[in-house]
Amino acid sequence: EAGVAQSPRYKIIEKRQSVAFWCNPISGHATLYWYQQILGQGPKLLIQFQNNGVVDDSQLPKDRFSAERLKGVDSTLKIQPAKLEDSAVYLCASSTGQGAYYGYTFGSGTRLTVV
Amino acid sequence: AQTVTQSQPEMSVQEAETVTLSCTYDTSESDYYLFWYKQPPSRQMILVIRQEAYKQQNATENRFSVNFQKAAKSFSLKISDSQLGDAAMYFCAYRSFNTGNQFYFGTGTSLTVIP
């Protein structure tokens, strides 16, 4: 079974620029998550999708972050404009359902550096 | 919100020896799941072991076992016969049984295995 694919693997941008990350979940996984992992911290949930609908985006800084999941498969996370404090690893994960007993599969993340 | 605390930023162990990583958490819920994830330099979060709070028996997975103390809200990970490949960041995580949507991660423990 193919894993969760993410690209790019690394990205360096200047502050105030925009950036987009892409995630392709495991085939058939209805639930998709984006997490932000700042250096020295554990990952924190940004947004959760169930198929192509948003379930939880309460921790997404909506003034600069946006995410979409068209057709309930691939997802894109965008930051515009980026700030220095957005430097982090952005992890995508997917699961077959929303319940706690459903396992997550994580991708390898995109490391963003804002200079 | 639930909080997860890992008080050991770094740990080291000799190859073939045993090491224990500590984790405490705070919750008012009675039903939940606890996890240990491993994050090697590849950045992908890999599930090591999972414990259901309603189960009194401690979970084991080969060389990995947990000591789950529900009343003390403690969830430690024991790695026996440590191998070089065990070197990584280890994250303790909490997930609600009822809502089950997101993980709450600790800040991680960096484990070094000394040959």
Side-chain angles (χ1 to χ4, degrees), chain A residues 37 43 91 106-107, chain B residues 6 21 35-49 63-64 77 79 83-93 105 108-109 111 113:
Chain A
Q37 184 178 13
L91 293 165
F106 283 88
Chain B
Q6 293 178 251
L21 308 184
F35 303 78
W36 279 97
Y37 273 88
K38 170 184 177 182
Q39 187 178 43
S42 67
R43 299 199 300 258
Q44 185 176 18
M45 300 286 279
I46 301 166
L47 178 64
V48 174
I49 199 166
R63 298 182 294 107
F64 299 88
L77 173 70
I79 306 174
Q83 300 175 0
L84 295 178
D86 295 333
M89 283 291 291
Y90 286 81
F91 290 94
C92 178
F105 287 92
T109 296
L111 178 66
V113 181

Side-chain angles (χ1 to χ4, degrees), chain B residues 3 7 15 17 24-25 39 42 54 63 65 86-87 92 94:
Chain B
T3 58
S7 58
E15 195 175 3
E17 297 295 310
T24 59
Y25 58 95
Q39 187 178 43
S42 67
Y54 63 85
R63 298 182 294 107
S65 62
D86 295 333
C92 178
Y94 173 103

Side-chain angles (χ1 to χ4, degrees), chain B residues 38-98:
Chain B
K38 170 184 177 182
Q39 187 178 43
S42 67
R43 299 199 300 258
Q44 185 176 18
M45 300 286 279
I46 301 166
L47 178 64
V48 174
I49 199 166
R50 181 179 84 167
Q51 174 80 43
E52 292 89 340
Y54 63 85
K55 289 187 177 178
Q56 292 186 335
Q57 186 173 8
N58 289 323
T60 61
E61 287 287 343
N62 300 314
R63 298 182 294 107
F64 299 88
S65 62
V66 299
N67 184 3
F68 173 48
Q69 302 289 329
K70 190 173 185 179
K73 297 180 180 175
S74 170
F75 182 62
S76 61
L77 173 70
K78 185 171 81 171
I79 306 174
S80 303
D81 185 26
S82 296
Q83 300 175 0
L84 295 178
D86 295 333
M89 283 291 291
Y90 286 81
F91 290 94
C92 178
Y94 173 103
R95 197 173 187 195
S96 170
F97 180 83
N98 293 317

Side-chain angles (χ1 to χ4, degrees), chain A residues 9 33 35 102 106 108-109, chain B residues 39 43-44 95 100-101 103:
Chain A
R9 188 152 173 78
Y33 310 80
Y35 279 79
Y102 288 109
F106 283 88
S108 295
Chain B
Q39 187 178 43
R43 299 199 300 258
Q44 185 176 18
R95 197 173 187 195
N101 289 333
F103 281 101

